[in-house]
Amino acid sequence: MAKRRGWMRAGVIAGLIGLWSGGWAGAQNQAAVAGGARLYPVAAAPGDTAWVIGGSILGERGTLWVGGQATSFMRDPASGWLAFQVPKTAAGGPQFVSAQGLGQRSALVLNVLPAEAAAQNVVAYIPPSTLKTVQQEYAERLRRLSSNCQKTCPQQVRAVVDRLAALGVPSFTPLTSAVTGQQVASGPLTVSPSTAVLSPQVLQNLDLQRLVPSAVPARSASSFCTSLAGIFPTAGLPTGQVLTVLGLLFGPDIQVDPTTFGHPAQTDAPYKNGQPTALLNKFIGLKGGNGKGVTVHVLDTATSATDDYVFRNPDPTRPALYYTTSIDGRPLHGQAVGQVVRAVAPNAALSYKQVCDREGNCATLKVAQALCAVAAEARRGGRHVVNLSAGGPYPTVGVQLALREVAAAGVPTAASYGNREDCAGLSKGDRCWHFPADWTRDFEFGPGIALGRTTLRQTMLFSVAGWDIATGQLANYNRGVGTPGVVNLPPSVQAPGEFWLGGWPYFGTSFAAPVVSGVLANWMACRPGVPLLPLITAPGQAPLPAATVNSC
């Protein structure tokens, strides 16, 4: 602790800047130096004020771009920091912050929070061994920060630090236990490079599994899932500043997220009221799945008994239609996801874990807890698959760390790629994210096979886009479609995502993901490891290799 105490005495703001350059935010934000400049905070919601510190080359006032959207900045006379407002239409997730004189290689990166996370409570995870440190030093570290900040920080920053100093440390309980004050929740992490797109015709019937050994990462003991979790009652404060200050004060001793994780991901239909099994047979050649002995965990709006989610049109001025069929008031989400899994793998066991509420808001803490429960069950034995037909633009710490535990326990996850509305209103130059799907490359393992100029590797996290059964190609409801100039990572695999259940149309990447979950369950029922699924994009070609779909 001597180094941290010395840092606090030496001048807290200089220490904060240096720490996030190579420590907490260096790992989670990847904010590069731009002419000696840094961002504070490292995360902010649309409409929040943020600052460039040390941006002397920018002048007293001017224009910055957050992604592809412009905003004005002005130098704060007291601190010398350059203040700017995050555009209210800013894209979510990691976005470049740039200006004339700041090239892309030296661009700063701001993690843009979802609008609903602007001023909410914060969920924190700490190792049990650091609980006493946090409890004993929280007040003192914030008191010193407040004292040092009086003459060096903008008034808005001083107010947040003073409010945090007045808060006590919340109760921390094991992550696997229910947590008082649990709400919907999120946090920053590194982002993977783009996934290569494959479209050679030969992939359709090629048994890729013969080219690489079927394997899974070695099972390991829990690490993140042994953490303690607690809720800091910070509602009303700028969430991004709270995340930044808590992370910087305690470094690796604490991981913090806002409490909003994301939402479930959701044209006269060409096969209205068609049976899912018949459609899957027609379009991907499913000859009758099994899945016996495999449990598919559906993390969604449903429990094992009920699902009270109802789709409500977010824009009452425009009809919510699937082709010409109104979907306003459509019931269920998690239950529909489970029915699609069942159509592919009829003998798999379904385990519903309710992590999203009836409004479709999903809780980071609940997702992390559910994933840790899956990892613990897998370590006791059996074969398991996770389906996560939800997500959001903000890269949440807790969810990624829990997914790593699931993968280390030998459990693959199928995650929805995200739908077109995720990118609605974005501008050229914005980056459109959907996590956890956009982490797929971080979960690759084992040897790769060369296909042309592309190397394909197995992954434990499949990013699943929707394949249109009417056109035989990438569906127009997928993220990135209809938003030219907006940057987004490609998916890792496609699957049909349009089904009729109970007289209602269910379409979107939410319902493509459970097709892959079912394929994984069928594979694991009779073969070791996980299959190698390529991204097949040739129009008219089935999106999944027949040898993998009918693996048993």
Side-chain angles (χ1 to χ4, degrees):
M1 303 313 298
K3 289 186 178 179
R4 287 199 183 102
R5 292 183 187 278
W7 157 64
M8 296 297 280
R9 296 189 192 102
V12 80
I13 296 303
L16 285 174
I17 297 171
L19 184 58
W20 86 49
S21 173
W24 179 76
Q28 301 189 49
N29 190 311
Q30 295 293 301
V33 178
R38 302 291 198 285
L39 284 177
Y40 177 88
V42 295
D48 280 357
T49 299
W51 293 266
V52 176
I53 306 174
S56 58
I57 64 173
L58 295 177
E60 297 300 306
R61 61 182 64 214
T63 301
L64 289 172
W65 278 262
V66 179
Q69 308 199 35
T71 184
S72 299
F73 71 82
M74 180 180 298
R75 192 173 300 277
D76 176 68
S79 64
W81 299 10
L82 302 178
F84 66 94
Q85 188 178 70
V86 180
K88 292 188 176 180
T89 54
Q95 303 295 329
F96 287 119
V97 177
S98 58
Q100 186 176 4
L102 299 181
Q104 176 134 324
R105 290 189 62 185
S106 62
L108 303 171
V109 176
L110 179 71
N111 272 299
V112 179
L113 293 157
E116 61 267 27
Q120 60 179 218
N121 291 341
V122 164
V123 58
Y125 313 97
I126 60 173
S129 60
T130 65
L131 178 60
K132 286 188 177 179
T133 298
V134 174
Q135 290 175 328
Q136 294 173 358
E137 300 202 13
Y138 174 84
E140 174 62 13
R141 293 189 189 188
L142 274 162
R143 185 193 67 77
R144 294 189 182 191
L145 175 56
S146 177
S147 176
N148 282 275
C149 206
Q150 292 306 310
K151 296 181 180 180
T152 54
C153 303
Q155 190 278 330
Q156 232 188 90
V157 176
R158 297 198 302 268
V160 170
V161 172
D162 289 345
R163 285 278 302 279
L164 280 175
L167 292 177
V169 177
S171 297
F172 280 86
T173 57
L175 176 60
T176 51
S177 304
V179 177
T180 303
Q182 180 168 297
Q183 299 183 34
V184 289
S186 281
L189 268 181
T190 56
V191 181
S192 306
S194 174
T195 302
V197 179
L198 303 176
S199 58
Q201 192 81 16
V202 70
L203 287 178
Q204 172 57 16
N205 295 306
L206 176 65
D207 189 352
L208 295 170
Q209 317 315 321
R210 295 181 180 178
L211 303 180
V212 294
S214 293
V216 293
R219 299 188 179 210
S220 64
S222 176
S223 176
F224 170 73
C225 290
T226 61
S227 299
L228 305 176
I231 301 290
F232 279 89
T234 56
L237 296 177
T239 304
Q241 289 198 52
V242 174
L243 296 175
T244 302
V245 171
L246 291 178
L248 292 173
L249 285 177
F250 291 98
D253 289 346
I254 194 168
Q255 300 287 349
V256 282
D257 284 330
T259 53
T260 300
F261 162 66
H263 306 276
Q266 304 275 355
T267 69
D268 201 51
Y271 296 91
K272 187 172 183 179
N273 294 322
Q275 290 296 313
T277 50
L279 294 180
L280 292 166
N281 173 268
K282 178 179 178 67
F283 292 108
I284 65 172
L286 180 68
K287 300 186 184 305
N290 190 320
K292 185 176 181 179
V294 180
T295 299
V296 179
H297 301 267
V298 178
L299 278 58
D300 215 289
T301 60
T303 66
S304 58
T306 186
D307 185 351
D308 59 3
Y309 174 83
V310 178
F311 174 82
R312 301 297 182 196
N313 185 10
D315 184 358
T317 64
R318 302 174 62 189
L321 299 174
Y322 177 73
Y323 288 87
T324 59
T325 302
S326 173
I327 61 171
D328 193 29
R330 181 186 59 195
L332 314 180
H333 188 277
Q335 289 287 333
V337 166
Q339 290 179 58
V340 174
V341 173
R342 185 74 76 196
V344 183
N347 293 322
L350 289 181
S351 176
Y352 291 98
K353 293 176 170 57
Q354 186 173 8
V355 299
C356 311
D357 63 22
R358 64 185 303 169
E359 306 300 326
N361 298 310
C362 307
T364 299
L365 188 50
K366 287 185 177 181
V367 174
Q369 289 173 323
L371 290 170
C372 285
V374 172
E377 187 175 342
R379 285 191 289 269
R380 291 192 295 268
R383 289 160 287 177
H384 304 265
V385 175
V386 169
N387 188 93
L388 191 48
S389 291
Y394 197 73
T396 53
V397 175
V399 172
Q400 200 203 47
L401 294 176
L403 279 169
R404 290 196 180 283
E405 301 242 2
V406 166
V411 180
T413 296
S416 57
Y417 176 62
N419 296 338
R420 186 167 60 181
E421 61 263 30
D422 293 340
C423 307
L426 302 190
S427 302
K428 182 178 180 180
D430 286 337
R431 307 170 85 189
C432 186
W433 301 99
H434 192 79
F435 297 102
D438 283 347
W439 285 319
T440 181
R441 291 292 298 272
D442 293 334
F443 285 77
E444 290 183 344
F445 69 98
I449 62 169
L451 293 172
R453 290 177 292 180
T454 300
T455 299
L456 184 64
R457 286 185 171 84
Q458 289 168 302
T459 183
M460 296 298 285
L461 175 61
F462 296 89
S463 169
V464 187
W467 183 82
D468 195 328
I469 62 176
T471 63
Q473 59 188 350
L474 186 76
N476 66 6
Y477 55 70
N478 282 286
R479 172 164 56 106
V481 176
T483 52
V486 173
V487 180
N488 54 277
L489 299 184
S492 57
V493 66
Q494 290 189 85
E498 300 169 63
F499 300 95
W500 284 84
L501 303 166
W504 288 92
Y506 291 83
F507 65 97
T509 61
S510 273
F511 308 104
V515 173
V516 171
S517 292
V519 168
L520 293 172
N522 289 339
W523 174 276
M524 295 172 70
C526 63
R527 300 182 68 164
V530 295
L532 187 64
L533 294 177
L535 178 58
I536 300 173
T537 60
Q541 184 178 333
L544 296 167
T548 304
V549 170
N550 300 298
S551 54
C552 294

